[in-house]
Amino acid sequence: MSRVAVIGTGYVGLTTGACLAHLGHAVVCADIDQAKIELLQSGRIPIYEQGLEALVADGLATRRLQFVVGAAQAVEDARAEFVFLCVQTPQGPDGSADLRYVEQASAEIGPALATGAVVITKSTVPVGSARVVERALARTDVAVVSNPEFLREGQAVHDCLHPDRIVIGSDDQAAAAKVAALYQGLNAPAMVTDPATAETIKYACNAFLATKVSFINAIANLCQAVGADVRDVVLGMGYDKRIGFEFLKPGPGWGGSCFPKDSRALVRIAEDAGYDFELLKGVIAVNDLQFRLLADRIAELAGGAHTNPVVAVWGLTFKAGTDDLRDSPAISVVERLLAGGATIKAYDPTVNRTLPAHFDHLDIEVCDDPYAACAGAAVLTVLTEWDEFRWLDFEKVAGVMAAPAILDARNLLDPISLRRRGFVYEGLGRK
Ligand code: UDX
């Protein structure tokens, strides 16, 4: 059992803290937001993560998990041997990662650290950030280790407790071994490398996954043009073990709080190092184009943008299984439809009628049931792959729409049964 402090209680920090407590460590999590800490202390969590609420409740009950306000407070209360930095690293206007929160947290915990403590960067930070943290800590008797997270939103607990691998970046072998020992309970290989390499691994993984998605979106567009079926193309590709089936589902494009930020940050990191990352720029360009292509196809199916159609939108979150609207492709497509004069009525199982403040520029009607969103619509588009959409009553949907037309941007629905019900059905690269 080790004594751990976790700074930041977002989906990375809260998941990391709760899982380390689950593994038997004594964990104190800190945030600057008093209200959030009080909510967590009461056993409720502000994010939509499968299994996390139960883990937090467990940790509170066994007193292995505590929540306090302030990073230094957590380090002191935990008598921390390890401190995880899980604060946000937002994207700066020029695409670079903004490290001010990492630096602030490091400066705050520096004086509170015991000799020999290990500070661990868990948030995705640019290559070379370990040095930035060392400077901000202003301590020569503690170690800084990179231990990037590979947590998917919605499956963060699963990914934390069942990692494919643990990546540890440190020039201090003893510190690296101590961090690896934290994860002893997990059945996963741990690799130790230098900090810059560990930080690069994280960016390279996200960039490659985004590349796979952009690639299959481009192939879906090609299938649409040549009359091929992308689902069978993916089947034919995926059996090749070198390709696999993961991250080959066509959609409205990739989004969320990581891919857009990390892909642009990596282009910028490369530029600053004198390398022009053309391939990744292309991956980003294909993704941005996908939003426009999709908005154009939806408007066309609705009878043309000039008709100012009513468009029903099912799904606003960046993917199913989360309530996160940050950089959601669905929002990007909706913005383009609004700019073209459409009226939008939307439904998403996790979004209530009033959108978060950050989205109040969107003049859309958010309905509390999927059929209400379809009333009078010239077209229905599925932008997020919520499984519940597959089981709705499409006779009822056809009955309330102005015209039964669907653009299924996640290839979620069944074209044959919908066409049998009189729908005009279009998917992405599907016959
Ligand atoms: C990602 C990485 O998967 C994770 O390892 C990293 O730690 C954080 O970033 P996340 O941002 O939660 O996780 O989303 P992910 O599940 O990777 O999906 C990213 C985007 O790609 C979503 O918009 C999703 O809808 C899209 N996607 C994913 C597709 O369009 N098709 C696919 O086949 C897979």
Side-chain angles (χ1 to χ4, degrees):
M1 185 277 281
S2 297
R3 298 190 305 274
V4 178
V6 175
I7 315 304
T9 58
Y11 97 96
V12 173
L14 186 55
T15 303
T16 300
C19 289
L20 286 170
H22 176 71
L23 292 175
H25 303 298
V27 180
V28 180
C29 293
D31 204 292
I32 50 172
D33 181 341
Q34 166 105 22
K36 190 173 185 184
I37 289 297
E38 284 166 8
L39 187 78
L40 291 167
Q41 284 168 332
S42 70
R44 280 175 298 137
I45 66 170
I47 52 174
Y48 190 93
E49 271 302 337
Q50 250 174 18
L52 186 54
E53 190 141 274
L55 271 190
V56 169
D58 246 8
L60 289 169
T62 58
R63 300 189 56 71
R64 281 205 293 264
L65 183 62
Q66 297 173 54
F67 297 100
V68 296
V69 177
Q73 191 65 52
V75 170
E76 282 157 15
D77 289 4
R79 293 182 296 118
E81 298 164 287
F82 299 90
V83 184
F84 281 85
L85 296 178
C86 302
V87 294
Q88 70 268 46
T89 53
Q91 182 178 340
D94 60 357
S96 64
D98 177 349
L99 285 177
R100 86 179 84 143
Y101 300 104
V102 170
E103 288 177 295
Q104 281 165 7
S106 302
E108 191 184 334
I109 66 173
L113 290 169
T115 298
V118 179
V119 177
I120 301 158
T121 53
K122 179 62 85 173
S123 303
T124 306
V125 289
V127 179
S129 297
R131 301 286 164 262
V132 172
V133 172
E134 279 163 2
R135 275 198 306 276
L137 288 171
R139 295 283 294 266
T140 54
D141 57 346
V142 301
V144 176
V145 172
S146 166
N147 173 221
E149 52 88 8
F150 300 97
L151 308 179
R152 291 166 297 167
E153 277 197 44
Q155 297 102 326
V157 171
H158 171 272
D159 292 348
C160 195
L161 294 176
H162 307 89
D164 292 331
R165 69 331 202 165
I166 311 282
V167 172
I168 298 167
S170 174
D171 298 323
D172 176 337
Q173 294 307 309
K178 284 198 281 185
V179 173
L182 282 175
Y183 298 105
Q184 223 148 22
L186 302 181
N187 175 22
M191 61 168 284
V192 180
T193 181
D194 65 271
T197 302
E199 290 153 356
T200 302
I201 289 169
K202 169 64 191 214
Y203 279 108
C205 288
N206 271 3
F208 182 72
L209 291 170
T211 301
K212 279 191 91 172
V213 176
S214 279
F215 180 80
I216 204 59
N217 282 340
I219 290 291
N221 294 334
L222 175 68
C223 289
Q224 194 78 31
V226 301
D229 187 305
V230 73
R231 287 164 73 107
D232 281 356
V233 169
V234 169
L235 206 54
M237 288 174 66
Y239 281 117
D240 183 324
K241 291 182 187 57
R242 296 167 301 174
I243 299 173
F245 291 101
E246 297 285 321
F247 278 70
L248 288 178
K249 290 195 188 80
W254 39 263
S257 63
C258 297
F259 278 15
K261 175 170 70 72
D262 295 354
S263 54
R264 287 180 171 77
L266 188 55
V267 168
R268 180 60 200 272
I269 290 166
E271 245 162 46
D272 291 350
Y275 176 67
D276 187 358
F277 205 152
E278 287 287 350
L279 175 65
L280 188 51
K281 284 180 183 173
V283 167
I284 294 167
V286 163
N287 200 55
D288 291 341
L289 179 63
Q290 187 72 353
F291 305 145
R292 190 165 58 73
L293 286 178
L294 208 51
D296 291 350
R297 283 188 60 196
I298 294 165
E300 196 184 319
L301 196 54
H306 59 283
T307 58
N308 296 346
V310 175
V311 176
V313 171
W314 283 358
L316 289 172
T317 52
F318 84 95
K319 65 173 183 177
T322 174
D323 61 353
D324 201 342
L325 296 170
R326 286 176 295 176
D327 270 317
S328 169
I331 300 283
S332 299
V333 171
V334 162
E335 283 169 341
R336 283 161 178 75
L337 287 168
L338 287 169
T343 299
I344 303 291
K345 299 170 73 164
Y347 168 76
D348 184 290
T350 64
V351 177
N352 57 40
R353 301 187 75 118
T354 42
L355 285 171
H358 182 61
F359 297 97
D360 50 19
H361 68 286
L362 284 178
D363 178 17
I364 65 173
E365 180 187 347
V366 180
C367 304
D368 49 20
D369 91 74
Y371 303 107
C374 296
V379 66
L380 160 64
T381 183
V382 177
L383 294 180
T384 308
E385 71 288 11
W386 288 102
D387 196 55
E388 68 179 69
F389 297 155
R390 298 171 60 203
W391 312 110
L392 292 172
D393 175 349
F394 284 92
E395 302 284 353
K396 188 172 173 185
V397 170
V400 295
M401 289 183 75
I406 292 182
L407 196 139
D408 181 2
R410 291 285 185 165
N411 289 345
L412 183 75
L413 307 176
D414 172 15
I416 296 166
S417 70
L418 286 167
R419 285 172 181 145
R420 207 181 295 135
R421 284 182 170 77
F423 280 89
V424 171
Y425 173 94
E426 280 191 26
L428 299 190
R430 286 183 87 178
K431 287 187 175 166

